[in-house]
Amino acid sequence: MELNRQYVNRFIDDAIQYNEYEPADAYYLQNLILKITGAEQVDEHVAEHSLTDLTPNDIAQHWIEQMIENQIIEDVVYQREIIETKLLDLITPKPSTINRRFDELYEQHPEKATDYFYEICKRNHYIKTDAIAQNVHYYTATEYGDLEITINLSKPEKDAKEIAKAREAKQTHYPANALCMENEGFAGSVTQAARRNHRIIRLKLNGEPWGFQFSPYAYFAEHSIVLSEAHNPMKIEKATFSNLLEFVQKFPHYFAGSNADLPIVGGSILSHNHYQTGRHTFPMDNAPASHAFTIEKYPEVQAATLKWPMSVVRLKGQNIDELVEAAEYIFEIWLHYNDATVEIKAFSEDGTRHHTVTPIARYRQSTGNYELDLVLRDNQTSTQFPDGIFHPHPDVQHIKKENIGLIEVMGTAILPGRLKKELKEVEAYVLGNKEADIGKHQMWADRMIAAYDFNQENAEDIIHQEVAHIFKRVLEDAGVFKQTEEGQAAFKRFIQHL
């Protein structure tokens, strides 16, 4: 296998421009490229043509295709990613260099620092902007405001052969999970993601070491993760509220939130303490107050429930310490709160805890206030609802069965990629193709046919709208105090208890 001279030169130019290499390193870089790609030499006899529009990742993908063609690697996700990250690591500065420059830019303005880091992570394809662009995305108006719907198509699916290899492979415990600091620069394997081009910014929150990184398959603008350097499990506690508020104090253009720390209502990785952040306005951010109240112990903190399908207490104020104290007070009361009239139960007979919160912090530049939302969560199950009483109920699980995590709590649906194909089948069915394979969507599709006059122009829009209304129901199912007269009366009893 030979590499095109122009591609090699262009990639070397990018490595010199974006990394710490100099022109004198050109042959050294060329030999690294040959080693990574398994090529024998560089083809010097090629016609001249412009490569100005090619990115470093375009060139990396071109070489990966050559490697597959020459049977140097197999056409499987993990092998492609190992080569991609090795190559794009060459255009990525060392972690220490990036951290030093990030800190310098932070002294000028926090946005300059995150913008710098974000550009690096897009350029080296750690953030998969091309894959993210495939996601389905739209808004639908509801009585709670516009809900945001996304169907996640960005993460590549492993084929059966790759899954089989992963099962047969020796299981290792390094890195311990996908959120460890040890992933920075990790080569990757059939069982663990390649991270040679991965970089993490070092932070201190409450004096403890944390890392800040962007998410490869972002669900929203500048989707990022703040992860504990210590290998501690997820835990909602007073320090959580303090850490989230300290983060938005350091980066006021970002929100910060944590998944809950219990199964069913928690996130996908409960084994490693982490938060999610980013530069995005979520539907819940704009939710109006439903019932304002004052907590006697914290009179300077403004408190209110929200007009929102889930049960939220929003705290506002300019004093972060006061907000943290008020949040801990509410959290501790919720941990032990019971109301049998609306099936709310803090502990099982065996002492198993069922209550926690999903906390979200933000800074409002318009008012100078910090806000801390506490979304009340309950992970009980029952004979009627074995997946969870406050979880998507069976009649909506054809659209969304998974846990309702932080992002969805805020009104942004992360729906599984399977839906893109399935909704096309539903569209064909409502337009008259009774041979369409709609499976578990049958009852829903028949209800829509009875309710709407479908045609080629409106079918997709109506189906998208109906998906959003099912997501609204999903959030209502997850709300502990329902949007009913009985539910809101129970919510007011909890507020009075505060």
Side-chain angles (χ1 to χ4, degrees), residues 188-212:
S189 69
V190 66
T191 58
Q192 291 165 292
R195 293 284 184 260
R196 283 290 290 272
N197 59 338
H198 177 36
R199 301 293 184 264
I200 302 174
I201 299 298
R202 272 58 179 177
L203 296 175
K204 286 289 180 72
L205 295 176
N206 279 312
E208 298 293 324
W210 289 71
F212 167 76

Side-chain angles (χ1 to χ4, degrees), residues 45 64 81 97 120 140 145 148 153 225 256 306 332 401 420:
H45 305 92
I64 288 167
E81 289 188 343
T97 301
I120 287 174
T140 295
E148 184 176 22
L153 303 166
I225 310 294
L306 300 185
E332 289 296 329
K401 185 176 183 177
K420 184 176 182 181

Side-chain angles (χ1 to χ4, degrees), residues 64 68 73-83 156-163 165 189-190:
I64 288 167
I68 292 167
I73 62 170
E74 294 179 78
D75 187 8
V76 292
V77 172
Y78 86 95
Q79 290 191 23
R80 295 179 72 108
E81 289 188 343
I82 286 172
I83 300 302
E157 293 185 11
K158 296 180 179 180
D159 63 20
K161 182 170 63 174
E162 194 168 354
I163 292 168
K165 277 190 176 183
S189 69
V190 66

Side-chain angles (χ1 to χ4, degrees), residues 416-453:
R418 64 175 171 82
L419 280 178
K420 184 176 182 181
K421 181 180 177 183
E422 291 175 12
L423 294 181
K424 281 295 177 188
E425 290 291 322
V426 170
E427 183 179 340
Y429 179 81
V430 300
L431 287 172
N433 179 6
K434 301 311 175 188
E435 301 301 313
D437 180 15
I438 61 173
K440 57 194 169 187
H441 299 298
Q442 182 78 54
M443 289 179 61
W444 175 53
D446 287 339
R447 284 198 303 271
M448 286 194 292
I449 288 172
Y452 295 100
D453 182 15

Side-chain angles (χ1 to χ4, degrees), residues 256-309:
S258 174
N259 268 308
D261 57 346
L262 292 178
I264 296 177
V265 297
S268 57
I269 301 179
L270 295 178
S271 60
H272 198 109
N273 205 12
H274 68 284
Y275 313 131
Q276 296 189 63
T277 75
R279 194 195 299 234
H280 188 62
T281 300
F282 291 91
M284 195 179 80
D285 292 7
N286 297 321
S290 176
H291 171 64
F293 63 95
T294 302
I295 303 171
E296 190 175 332
K297 292 179 70 172
Y298 306 100
E300 292 184 17
V301 174
Q302 302 171 52
T305 61
L306 300 185
K307 184 183 178 184
W308 191 246

Side-chain angles (χ1 to χ4, degrees), residues 78-266:
Y78 86 95
Q79 290 191 23
R80 295 179 72 108
E81 289 188 343
I82 286 172
I83 300 302
E84 176 190 311
T85 61
K86 281 182 179 179
L87 287 167
L88 294 173
D89 184 43
L90 299 179
I91 67 154
T92 310
K94 293 182 300 185
S96 56
T97 301
I98 291 176
N99 272 269
R100 187 161 48 248
R101 184 59 179 152
F102 185 94
D103 291 344
E104 290 169 358
L105 291 168
Y106 181 86
E107 291 303 314
Q108 298 175 31
H109 198 282
E111 284 188 59
K112 285 189 175 183
T114 55
D115 286 350
Y116 159 75
F117 187 41
Y118 188 55
E119 287 306 313
I120 287 174
C121 294
K122 285 193 295 181
R123 182 188 306 127
N124 74 1
H125 206 232
Y126 183 75
I127 299 173
K128 316 290 187 185
T129 51
D130 49 348
I132 294 162
Q134 299 173 36
N135 292 344
V136 176
H137 180 266
Y138 62 93
Y139 289 88
T140 295
T142 73
E143 65 266 38
Y144 304 109
D146 290 348
L147 294 183
E148 184 176 22
I149 308 300
T150 70
I151 297 176
N152 182 30
L153 303 166
S154 58
K155 197 164 186 178
E157 293 185 11
K158 296 180 179 180
D159 63 20
K161 182 170 63 174
E162 194 168 354
I163 292 168
K165 277 190 176 183
R167 284 181 183 146
E168 293 165 6
K170 180 183 176 183
Q171 297 301 306
T172 63
H173 301 287
Y174 179 89
N177 60 57
L179 292 176
C180 297
M181 300 285 277
E182 291 88 341
N183 282 284
E184 188 175 47
F186 184 67
S189 69
V190 66
T191 58
Q192 291 165 292
R195 293 284 184 260
R196 283 290 290 272
N197 59 338
H198 177 36
R199 301 293 184 264
I200 302 174
I201 299 298
R202 272 58 179 177
L203 296 175
K204 286 289 180 72
L205 295 176
N206 279 312
E208 298 293 324
W210 289 71
F212 167 76
Q213 66 183 52
F214 286 105
S215 178
Y217 299 101
Y219 294 145
F220 51 84
E222 298 182 42
H223 184 184
S224 35
I225 310 294
V226 179
L227 53 134
S228 170
E229 185 171 309
H231 289 259
N232 295 325
M234 291 284 290
K235 186 179 182 183
I236 302 296
E237 56 186 340
K238 183 179 182 180
T240 308
F241 311 136
S242 181
N243 286 344
L244 294 176
L245 286 163
E246 184 177 346
F247 183 86
V248 296
Q249 186 181 40
K250 290 177 183 287
F251 301 96
H253 56 300
Y254 279 5
F255 84 96
S258 174
N259 268 308
D261 57 346
L262 292 178
I264 296 177
V265 297

Side-chain angles (χ1 to χ4, degrees), residues 136 138 140 142 147-151 396 398-400 413 415-416 419 422-423 426 441 444 448 452 460-474:
V136 176
Y138 62 93
T140 295
T142 73
L147 294 183
E148 184 176 22
I149 308 300
T150 70
I151 297 176
V396 294
H398 64 104
I399 295 295
K400 176 69 175 177
L415 301 179
L419 280 178
E422 291 175 12
L423 294 181
V426 170
H441 299 298
W444 175 53
M448 286 194 292
Y452 295 100
E460 183 179 65
D461 286 344
I462 290 172
I463 291 167
H464 279 183
Q465 176 183 302
E466 287 299 307
V467 167
H469 284 288
I470 288 174
F471 177 59
K472 180 189 75 170
R473 246 293 311 283
V474 161

